[in-house]
Amino acid sequence: MNQDQLKQIVGEAARDEVLQLAPGQVLGIGTGSTANCFIDALAPHKAHFAGTVSSSNVTTERLLKHGFKVLNPNDVASLPAYVDGADEIDPAGHMIKGGGGALTREKIIASMATKFICICDSSKQVPILGGFALPVEIIPLAQGVVTRALQKLGGQVSLRLAKNTRADLNQTPSEPFVTDNGGWILDVAGLRIADPINMESQINQIAGVITVGLFAKEKANILLVSTATGVERIIL
Ligand code: 5RP
C-alpha cells in the first residue's frame, strides 16, 4: 500500500469509529492530508452529527464543500471527540503537531474534546519525540526572543517560510508563513523530547509563544494507525 492508501484506510476507520458516537452531537475535525481523508469518508454520513468544529480555514472550506455544518467553537461547550493526524506520536500518545501550521486551533479544539482520536500511518510512531522539528507558533515581533530561548533548550531554530505558490515563476519563498491567527512559526530541530509534559510547559512559559506543537497535556486517547496489513486500534 502506498502512503495515500494508508491515509485512506485510516480515514475510513476513523469514520467507523465516530459513527459509533450517539447521533446529534458536534465533532471536532483536524487539519492535514490524513484528516482530509477522514472528512471525505465521513461526508456521506454528515447527518449523523449536529455539526462540526474546524481546526483551520482549509478544513472549514473542505467541510463546507461537503455540506457539513461548521460551528463557531464559542457556541459549543464540549465535543465527544476530536479527530486529527499527527507528525509524530510516542507510545504514551504524546504528539508533535503543526506540520500544516494549524497547531493553535488544533490544540484549542482538542482541549474541548472528551477524547482525541489520532489517525496516522505507522511511519509517525516513534519511541521518543523530536525527530520531526517541533513547530512553535509565535507573535511575529517575538521572533528574536523566542528563538534565543528555544536555542537555550538545545534546539536549532528556523523560521517557517511561505510555500512557493507560484512555481511557474520559479520564486524562492522568502516571506514568513503566516498562520490563520496571524502568527509565525518557528520549527525547532534537534530536540530529544524525553519528558513531553515538562517541555510543553517550559515552552509555554516563553513570552511571545502562542502555542507549542507539543500535544502532551492534550494527548491522544485512541490511536488508529494504518500499516500494510490494516488498521490497528490502540487505546492510550
Ligand atoms: C497540521 C497537523 C497535521 O495533523 C499533521 O501535520 C499531520 O498531517 P498529515 O496528515 O498531512 O501527515 O498537525 O497542523
Side-chain angles (χ1 to χ4, degrees), residues 137-203:
E137 183 170 351
I138 60 158
I139 299 285
L141 66 75
Q143 183 193 355
V145 71
V146 179
T147 296
R148 287 188 289 278
L150 293 170
Q151 285 167 339
K152 275 195 197 142
L153 293 177
Q156 292 106 53
V157 183
S158 51
L159 177 66
R160 190 178 298 182
L161 299 178
K163 284 214 182 78
N164 182 359
T165 49
R166 298 293 310 275
D168 53 320
L169 296 180
N170 202 19
Q171 286 173 336
T172 314
S174 55
E175 295 296 315
F177 172 87
V178 179
T179 70
D180 288 351
N181 317 302
W184 288 358
I185 292 188
L186 299 176
D187 288 304
V188 190
L191 296 174
R192 188 178 177 277
I193 309 175
D195 185 347
I197 301 249
N198 182 42
M199 177 74 80
E200 183 178 31
S201 93
Q202 274 192 70
I203 297 178

Side-chain angles (χ1 to χ4, degrees), residues 210-231:
I210 299 173
T211 301
V212 54
L214 196 47
F215 284 53
K217 186 170 161 283
E218 306 306 337
K219 73 176 199 77
N221 306 108
I222 295 174
L223 170 62
L224 299 175
V225 58
S226 53
T227 66
T229 54
V231 176

Side-chain angles (χ1 to χ4, degrees), residues 38-120:
F38 166 64
I39 294 168
D40 296 348
L42 190 63
H45 309 275
K46 56 183 176 283
H48 188 85
F49 296 95
T52 59
V53 167
S54 160
S55 61
S56 65
N57 294 344
V58 282
T59 287
T60 299
E61 250 177 61
R62 196 175 195 97
L63 288 166
L64 291 174
K65 217 189 275 173
H66 277 303
F68 284 94
K69 198 168 181 182
V70 180
L71 304 169
N72 184 326
N74 288 327
D75 298 330
V76 176
S78 66
L79 303 166
Y82 174 61
V83 180
D84 199 358
D87 297 303
E88 278 187 351
I89 181 162
D90 76 8
H94 305 130
M95 295 166 284
I96 287 184
K97 291 186 45 55
L103 59 162
T104 295
R105 296 192 191 184
E106 290 174 343
K107 204 177 258 193
I108 293 167
I109 298 171
S111 78
M112 297 167 63
T114 308
K115 38 182 186 182
F116 189 131
I117 302 169
C118 177
I119 53 174
C120 65

